Amino acid sequence: MNKKLIGLSVALLVLTVLIGISVGSTKIPVQDVFSILSHKLLGTALSEGIEGKTVSIVWILRFPRVLLALIVGASLAVSGSSIQSVLKNPLASPYTLGVSAGASLGVVICIIFDLYIPYFGYMTLTTVGFLSGLVTVFLVLRFARKVDHGFTNQTIILSGMVLALFVNAVLTMITALSHQDLQRIVLWQMGTFSLKSWKYVYAILPFFVIGTLGTLRYAKELDALSFGEEQALTLGVDVEKVKKRLIIYSAVLTGSAVATSGTIGFVGLVAPHICRRVFGPKHSLLIPMSVIFGGVFMIVMDLIARTVIPPSELPVGAITALIGAPFFSMIFFSRRKK
Amino acid sequence: MLKLNSVSVGYTSKMVVKDISFEVEQGQMICLIGPNGSGKTTLLKAIANIKEFEGDIKYNEVHINSMYRKEIGKIMAMITQNSHTYFPFSVFDTVMNGRYVYMDGLFKGPSKQDKVIVEQALERVGMLEFRKRNISTLSGGQLQRVHLAKLLAQEPEIILLDEPTNHLDLKYQIETLEFIKELTIKEHKISIVVLHDLNLVQRYADKVVMLSEGDDFLIGDTKDVLTNEKLNEFYHLDIKDWMVKTLEMWRK
């Protein structure tokens, strides 16, 4: 039964990608999309009657955009699944530890001062996002340990929230003072995949791969951690080390995602919940499924964002929250009633 | 043999157990008793090496705090008081966690042997037919058996239990302790059990460590520790008198 579901999920992902590319101001038939992709990726012959312009739309505009939505959604979902189990809290999300606030601040500073790390080129922003996210998490953990020697998850979550609020306030001040870049920053913060080309895909891909594989490597430990840290310790898990690494991988995933497309909420909360309900809480399956459903969710949200009021584009971050909030309440509370 | 040599454990501000030394041999069941706040659980956690302590705790002459966490996991297993989860794991997957220390290699799941061992463990506690059930749907007694199965799957030499009879009805309490006792004797395990119910201690313990609210403690064979005078001193209550009166009520 599980194998069938996994097969269906993969099929759903492929279908969503194809539809995501097909729908837009110029509608491109799905079979043409398929033909163009297989021409570009596998070198097969292009179907007759497909214009060069259509190939350009698919390959230069839509495919990288859909791919980017997929990767960002997957990154946030994987990070969410992991952080929820590490903190043993089903309401935690990749943003709980302040990663997104820190990443945002780092990225905004880069935008304002036009900073580029030499040799990193287009990977500057994702790298800065990851590093500043990591610094914030580090501060959150240091602070939590200082105020609470027991280092409980509640303290960690509260410290994360407090620091995130603080960093966000700094961010707002910097934004308000930088008249020139105000529009760019606000647009980026609202979260959008608009006008994102291949170089953004290349910039986030390594972070996504490292973060996801790194998290998946600790699937068994995450299972044990779901029962609490003491339990995990008595089962033989080196909790301190594992927790630290999982939080770093989560910062890798979230920081780079935020740097790419701004702070997009709810994906990291909703996708893990859906996956747990359908596939169970075992992380060896939950993590790969989070990749798929985080991706599907984000592609669909982006599709809605760019087609609902054409020709203007809504910020995808608003759409995820608009749809995510009621959707999440539905799953979360229906489960409680049972 | 498990040996504690002048072990102290507690919190930064205050040690709750001071300078305690005792030994437990294979095949022995030792109970930790004492009033609330006397440090029973804290001492148990020190033995499990999940709480820092001063002094030496050695198993077969090796310091346990010099071992890797995974090595400790192969030697000791513990049922803690709160090991609930919000996430809907199945009974089988919960017990599979007990095999963690034996699963080596990156990205590698359980082997065939792991699965067989988990099924055997579930069989032994009578929970095999529940293997696919979500643990959040189980009763307290069933859940306790799942935890016991997890402990069996871990194949430990030392069994640590923190109030394993909590929230269980009397039948399950007795069943649980009978099970542990048999396991201890037949498979030469060491078991260390924190218990509140002195009747159960009287029945099942080979040795007792009684802790007081202060730094005082008493160690010895069950019959030597559970005396009227000592219980009065540690619990500030004439427990034996109370028990005997209850027994008389039962007899009527």
Side-chain angles (χ1 to χ4, degrees), chain A residues 84 90-91 266-278 293 297 323-338:
Chain A
Q84 284 172 7
L91 291 176
F266 273 100
V267 186
L269 195 59
V270 173
H273 272 271
I274 297 174
C275 295
R276 273 202 193 89
R277 291 209 102 182
V278 180
F293 281 88
F297 187 79
I323 295 174
F327 193 60
F328 177 74
S329 340
M330 206 175 72
I331 355 179
F332 194 71
F333 291 107
S334 74
R335 174 166 142 198
R336 278 186 141 190
K337 259 189 246 161
K338 264 189 190 171

Side-chain angles (χ1 to χ4, degrees), chain A residues 6 69 133:
Chain A
I6 297 167

Side-chain angles (χ1 to χ4, degrees), chain A residues 90-110:
Chain A
L91 291 176
S93 81
Y95 301 147
T96 310
L97 294 175
V99 182
S100 65
S104 298
L105 185 60
V107 169
V108 164
I109 290 173
C110 277

Side-chain angles (χ1 to χ4, degrees), chain A residues 84-85 88-90 213 216-217 220-221 223-224 226-228 230-231 233-238 276 281-283 335, chain B residues 45 50 69-70 76 78 80 83-89 93-94 97-98 100-101 103 105-108 135 150 154:
Chain A
Q84 284 172 7
S85 299
K88 207 184 156 202
N89 188 325
L213 289 181
L216 195 59
R217 181 236 173 283
K220 285 171 287 196
E221 287 81 355
D223 286 349
S226 306
F227 289 85
E230 276 190 357
Q231 263 298 304
L233 279 169
T234 61
L235 289 170
V237 179
D238 191 343
R276 273 202 193 89
K282 253 180 81 177
H283 292 81
R335 174 166 142 198
Chain B
K45 283 182 183 169
I50 60 178
R69 186 53 67 186
K70 267 200 166 178
M76 298 188 212
M78 176 170 177
T80 51
S83 50
H84 61 95
T85 177
Y86 298 101
F87 304 118
F89 280 90
D93 292 339
T94 304
N97 275 322
Y100 169 74
V101 278
M103 289 189 254
L106 298 177
F107 304 111
K108 235 179 138 192
I135 50 165
K150 182 165 72 175
Q154 207 175 328

